[in-house]
Amino acid sequence: QVQLVESGGGLVQPGGSLRLSCAASGFTFRVYPMTWYRQALGKERELVATITSTGDSTNYLDSVKGRFTISRDNGKNTVYLQMNSLKPEDTAVYYCSVRTARRYWGQGTQVTVSS
């Protein structure tokens, strides 16, 4: 079965950096686009970044452009989200996701940006 396991979240000061990882299994990782979402407390889940199956194209939420970078390693079945210049408004639970026959979600990893 499809499994997505996120890691790398934590508490960071404003202006700091974190790198999230999502280890995938149970499907042919290299053929599917991958997406990071986030959900802040009391808010709807929003799409943060998407990467194509080959990694040759990416798209970002406007508010993270220039600060976040999505990447993937198809040899390791892993997708990453490098987050730089973090702001308090980036505080959320971050999820990786894939749509195969249906959309699957990981369990999420908490990112808290606070001084």
Side-chain angles (χ1 to χ4, degrees), residues 12-90:
V12 63
Q13 291 187 343
S17 298
L18 284 174
R19 188 194 196 204
L20 306 183
S21 299
C22 173
S25 61
F27 64 101
T28 308
F29 180 79
R30 67 182 183 277
V31 305
Y32 290 96
M34 295 295 297
T35 304
W36 284 97
Y37 288 79
R38 68 185 181 188
Q39 187 167 18
L41 195 62
K43 296 187 177 181
E44 292 187 355
R45 192 170 296 188
E46 62 181 356
L47 190 152
V48 176
T50 299
I51 188 166
T52 56
S53 59
T54 58
D56 62 346
S57 182
T58 57
N59 281 289
Y60 297 93
L61 180 68
D62 282 349
S63 61
V64 309
K65 284 181 181 177
R67 301 188 298 121
F68 290 11
T69 302
I70 188 171
S71 62
R72 66 191 295 159
D73 185 335
N74 285 350
K76 294 182 178 180
N77 285 6
T78 302
V79 61
Y80 305 98
L81 186 67
Q82 177 68 43
M83 306 185 296
N84 299 328
S85 302
L86 282 161
K87 304 175 180 180
E89 51 264 43
D90 295 317

